[in-house]
Amino acid sequence: MDRVPLLFLNVLVVATCGLVYELLAGTLASYVLGDSVTQFSLIIGLYLSAMGVGAWLSGKIERNLAMRFLDVELGVAIIGGLSAPILLLSFARLSWFPVVLYGLVFVIGTLVGLELPILMRICQDRLSFKDLVSRILTFDYLGALVGSLLFPLVFVPKLGLLKTSVFFGLCNAAVALWGTWLLADVLGAGVRLLRARALFVIALLGFAFTQVDLIEGLAEDDLFPDPVVLSKTTPYQRVVFTQSKRGFNLYLNGNLQFSSGDEYRYHEALVHPAFAAAPAPPRHVLVLGGGDGLAVREILKQPGVETVDLVDLDPAMPALARGFRPLVELNGDAFADPRVTAHEADAFIWVDTAPAGRFDAAIIDFPDPNNFALGKLYTRLFYQKLRRILAPGAAVTIQCTSPLYARLSYWSIIRTIEAAGFRVHPYHATVPSFGIWGYALARTVPFDPPQRLTVTGLRFLNDRELASMFTFPADMAAPGADAVEINRLDNQWLVRTYETEWRRWQ
Amino acid sequence: MAVTRRGALFGLGSAAAAALGASCTRDDAARARDVDAAFAFSPEVVGHRIRDGARVEPSPDAWRDLGVVIVGAGVAGLSAARALSAADFHDFVVLELESAIGGTARGGRTDVSPHPWGAHYTNLPRAENVDYVAFLRAHGAVEGLDAAGEPIAAEGAICRDPDERSYTAGKWFEGLLPVAVMNAAAAADLAKLEAQVARWAAFRDARGRRAFALPRALGSDADEVRALDTQTFAAWLDAAGITAPPVRWLCDYACRDDFGARPDAVSAWAGLHYFTSRHRETGDGSAPVLTWPEGNGRMVDWLAADAHPEILTGLAVADVQPLEAGGVEVRALDVATGAARGFRAKQVLLAVPQVFAGRLLRSFRDAPPAHLAEFVYGPWLVANLELHTRPGARGYPLSWDNVPYGSDALGYICATHQAGNDWGPTVLTWYEALADADAKAARKALLSWDAAACRDRVFADLRSAHPDLVRRTTRVTFARHGHAMVRPRPGFVFGAAREAAAQPFRGVHFAHTDLSGLALFEEAFWHGRRAAAEILVAQGRTG
């Protein structure tokens, strides 16, 4: 039976897969490294030249052509199929990621480059040279077209990068397995072992396919829209600074903490209302979280501040705030001020160790409650602990996530602070990088929203804006009493709600 | 169980991973050997010396006369001491064999965190458990009463969310139910069990008593309830058509956790007690769990603080002898110095398991009463693993209670969880109830293992859930509780032995949780108070 037409189908699949791996590498590289023009150019160039190397190497193969062809195909299947997961995971964990990226592209290119020359030689006895070249190249280019259309239109939107990668690996491996029958007459001995190898590769990729969600979950925090300028993994979190034309951004565990272009809006709104609401100029100020020093910068603008105690879990943050030049410039070298003391501790435990009645103002700037360890810092019990260390009449401001994107979460925090015995005035500000952001202003005694700032010359806040922050439009207003629960340590209602609410916007 | 595609693929992947990891395994074994392992205390050594006939005769000047001697500073003994103090009776001492108080509820501490050495939680009681509610309220674990008069637990005392997770098929899941292996049949069986629990929770007898109340003395003894005591829990489950392996595992886990035995060795009454006594008509259906980093050691400290009794630790009682002329003599050995000491009291409270009452009381030694043989105890091995960093995990995050599905042990508690300590070093308290039907053989085996053997047992149990555990562990210490839990075998809870054992004997009174047929803080607390009331009456005080 003439199996040559079927072999051309093989060429089509091989060509499609080959192009898809190239596109995957280019896409991933521009995702994680930015600058897509450079990345795509580099990757296409490297890939094509590696194919040349493969073609040249094919000349060194003398015997067992069919066996070598299928082995190469299995190699492409496994390396190409796993390329996207490997790249994504190594980006998060390896400082020499570019080596992995370009190395992988080179290896895949070389293997793909080996394929067609060998296949042509396998077919050379069955077809005239003229027909062979014309048909193989036709199917090769046709495969490229198929790949280039399917990749952006079908596979990436439907399956995502990782599943696409593994799926084409599986196609490659399946074609190789099929090839053990197609080429059975020229394979000779060892065909069984080859089939076992093919089945093993299929099983491995099949397993990987089921685990892709896990890998994606592990790596999704590491994708940034701008080039990374500093990346540090501490025992507590992954700290990443990226640089864009507008300035630089800080991400903790993949979540944007601030963007230098508009962080002044966030931090002015976070800090100054507490001072405006305090009965007397606060002398002893507590900052929980906020290891970037930007809240401290605002606090130090206030007259009368004698001490600032800042508690951050991760010593890496205050260290960067002291030593990472762009950040030092942004926070005005706040930690160099002798009034500022940084404590390295989990605030939940630290508040139990601080002296009772110590602080005249507290600024609470924790990351959003997206896990249980953070959720405990938004519980009624935590706010009760906080009350103990506040001076009578002290004012507190708390960042409370977005009342627009996570309305129930926001109001749950407000109700929880109230349940701990505080009077609360909710307020919000617009921070372009975040959207509409929500805060709480709280005291243990009844009070009116402040009308007058205690400092002048701020970039964002003035008296008129201060007053307007305390009014809420309908789409962010308090939901019905039954819609939110008090966040307690034993129910962590907030963590579960927050996750659901933000998922809707992603 | 049907083999799923995913399961098969996963299995294949695991096999490949295992093959790849084979080279690491040898490293791990070597590393495990380097982990420092030791017993925290070994009270059985002196106990056995006395059992085997060491002579303890105090010199004439080593005797002391007192109103009451309490033997055992566990929960029952301290609860009695607290009740005596509350009645303004202070002429007593508490003698304790070990160097610290608390018995099977004692707590410990490393540089990193306090941790339990035994029982580690209690459930928020109902209002009907008046004294216990008052005790918890006095110490802030209960912060008030709701409109129905039921206690409200303080937020800091309720087990913090995330409270439970279980490890099944390579991943941690929220809750104890092995959701990854739950199929339709298992879900149907779970519904049957839940329906039975709801039915028994709603049960009230002619006198309005619940089927399962805490303390047990408040519960019903109606015929329908007694009937549950005549069969094993396993037989009852079979008869109820509850056979799906995941649900049976949950029942097996429950029985080992609360009774130190398997469902075929405890009564249906006991099995249902586990599920039903915690059932609540409101909220999510189960009473809040109250816990502390040192486990019930916190409540032990509260008992001692309330009672402020004179407690003599490290004193092994060897002999308790009622005198013809009235009064009781207690002979004890100072474990540290080897000196013998004597106490003469009007009353003695033996706040120890009945097996020890049988050894200490001379009359019982000479002629063991029939009821003693009915008390059977399961042994426990408890390990505290000190970790420099927390183990990695797939799926649900580290919780308070962490249980590998299918394990013969009971999983571990994270001791730093309740304190809100989520980073860096921690202590994991691992439990195993040796649930073999032959309790004596299990105890013998437990006492024959050295610390290294115990260490290997812990690591073997947790290896698949935490392959990285060995390299994160700096030290493991162990407690062996030879008679940790009385087993509520069929016929025991409603049998005559318990009542007979609780009867005072010539000036000697008895208080221990085993007199309820269950090992629970609430029961020990209740028996301590009951015995204290008896003693006060005997002392001529109206309790």
Side-chain angles (χ1 to χ4, degrees), chain B residues 75-76 79 105 119-126 128-133 135-136 213-218 258 273 277-278 280 287-290 292 296 299 303 512-514 516 518-530:
Chain B
V75 176
S79 168
H120 51 264
Y121 74 95
T122 186
N123 286 99
L124 180 66
R126 288 179 199 279
E128 65 191 6
N129 198 350
V130 178
D131 297 322
Y132 192 47
V133 171
F135 167 67
L136 293 174
L214 288 172
R216 206 206 74 78
L218 301 181
D258 253 28
H273 183 283
S277 67
R278 294 168 169 87
R280 285 291 183 276
V289 166
L290 308 183
W292 301 269
N296 289 358
M299 291 196 290
L303 288 174
H512 193 265
T513 186
D514 62 0
S516 286
L518 306 165
L520 283 174
F521 193 97
E522 292 92 324
E523 300 297 338
F525 181 85
W526 189 85
H527 280 286
R529 295 183 65 83
R530 173 196 51 74

Side-chain angles (χ1 to χ4, degrees), chain A residues 203 376 380-381 489 491 496, chain B residues 12 155 158 161 174 420 422:
Chain A
K376 75 181 178 217
R380 188 184 62 159
L381 185 67
L489 201 57
N491 69 10
R496 295 160 197 275
Chain B
L12 201 73
E155 188 174 336
I158 309 180
D161 195 27
E174 181 176 7
D422 293 323

Side-chain angles (χ1 to χ4, degrees), chain A residues 200 203 206-207 210-211 214 235-236 313 346 348-349 372-373 376 379-381 384 487-492 496, chain B residues 6 9-10 12-14 16 143 153-156 158-162 174 394 396-397 418-424:
Chain A
F200 176 77
F207 173 66
T210 64
Q211 301 300 310
L214 173 78
Y236 308 101
L313 175 65
D346 189 325
F348 191 84
I349 293 163
F372 292 118
K376 75 181 178 217
T379 57
R380 188 184 62 159
L381 185 67
Q384 285 169 345
N487 185 44
R488 295 163 48 115
L489 201 57
D490 58 289
N491 69 10
Q492 295 253 20
R496 295 160 197 275
Chain B
R6 194 191 155 98
L9 284 169
F10 185 79
L12 201 73
S14 307
E143 61 182 20
E155 188 174 336
I158 309 180
C159 182
R160 179 186 159 204
D161 195 27
E174 181 176 7
R394 287 186 58 199
Y396 204 67
Q418 190 64 11
N421 175 344
D422 293 323
W423 310 97

Side-chain angles (χ1 to χ4, degrees), chain B residues 29-358:
Chain B
R31 220 182 260 139
R33 276 196 298 278
D34 290 340
V35 175
D36 184 18
F39 292 116
F41 28 78
S42 297
E44 70 282 354
V45 175
V46 63
H48 290 171
R49 217 163 82 210
I50 289 167
R51 184 189 64 187
D52 300 336
R55 210 178 115 73
V56 180
E57 193 50 59
S59 61
D61 60 346
W63 284 88
R64 202 173 144 186
D65 287 306
L66 286 146
V68 173
V69 169
I70 298 176
V71 178
V75 176
L78 293 173
S79 168
R82 178 174 174 272
L84 292 179
S85 290
D88 208 21
F89 180 91
H90 303 287
D91 185 18
F92 69 90
V93 291
V94 183
L95 310 183
E96 171 56 47
L97 164 64
E98 295 186 28
S99 57
I101 61 170
T104 52
R106 77 184 266 184
R109 154 178 289 283
T110 71
D111 295 341
V112 168
S113 172
H115 59 74
W117 271 125
H120 51 264
Y121 74 95
T122 186
N123 286 99
L124 180 66
R126 288 179 199 279
E128 65 191 6
N129 198 350
V130 178
D131 297 322
Y132 192 47
V133 171
F135 167 67
L136 293 174
R137 195 167 180 185
H139 293 283
V142 164
E143 61 182 20
L145 303 177
D146 65 14
E150 291 292 332
I152 301 168
E155 188 174 336
I158 309 180
C159 182
R160 179 186 159 204
D161 195 27
D163 53 356
E164 291 170 338
R165 63 172 184 168
S166 55
Y167 182 82
T168 322
K171 201 170 167 182
W172 289 96
F173 293 90
E174 181 176 7
L176 280 191
L177 199 66
V179 286
V181 291
M182 288 293 286
N183 49 22
D189 281 8
L190 184 67
K192 285 182 209 162
L193 179 63
E194 283 170 348
Q196 288 284 350
V197 168
R199 177 192 152 210
W200 284 107
F203 174 91
R204 298 291 183 277
D205 68 10
R207 289 168 55 189
R209 294 175 301 184
R210 295 172 186 280
F212 304 96
L214 288 172
R216 206 206 74 78
L218 301 181
S220 173
D221 57 0
D223 289 344
E224 308 90 298
V225 179
R226 282 169 168 271
L228 293 172
D229 193 38
T230 61
Q231 54 188 318
T232 66
F233 189 38
W236 181 91
L237 287 166
D238 289 340
I242 298 166
T243 54
V247 181
R248 288 300 283 256
W249 175 82
L250 190 68
C251 294
D252 182 74
Y253 173 85
C255 289
R256 286 183 290 119
D257 191 30
D258 253 28
F259 313 122
R262 297 199 180 267
D264 59 6
V266 303
S267 71
W269 184 91
L272 283 166
H273 183 283
Y274 176 91
F275 292 102
T276 312
S277 67
R278 294 168 169 87
H279 187 87
R280 285 291 183 276
E281 287 77 7
T282 54
D284 66 356
S286 72
V289 166
L290 308 183
T291 189
W292 301 269
E294 65 273 50
N296 289 358
R298 178 70 63 94
M299 291 196 290
V300 166
D301 289 344
W302 289 345
L303 288 174
D306 289 353
H308 50 84
E310 181 185 354
I311 302 176
L312 305 175
T313 54
L315 211 56
V317 171
D319 183 46
V320 176
Q321 188 187 11
L323 303 175
E324 293 296 334
V328 185
E329 285 182 352
V330 177
R331 290 172 175 77
L333 189 72
D334 188 315
V335 175
T337 65
R341 297 180 61 177
F343 301 86
R344 281 190 202 91
K346 289 202 189 71
Q347 268 85 33
V348 166
L349 174 61
L350 283 179
V352 295
Q354 303 320 305
V355 57
F356 297 133

Side-chain angles (χ1 to χ4, degrees), chain A residues 82 103 137 142 147 172 180 209 269-270 279 316 320 422 451-452 475:
Chain A
L82 296 177
L137 289 184
L142 202 59
N172 248 184
T180 60
F209 198 76
L270 174 69
L320 287 168
F422 285 94
Q451 303 290 320
R452 216 167 271 283
D475 61 351

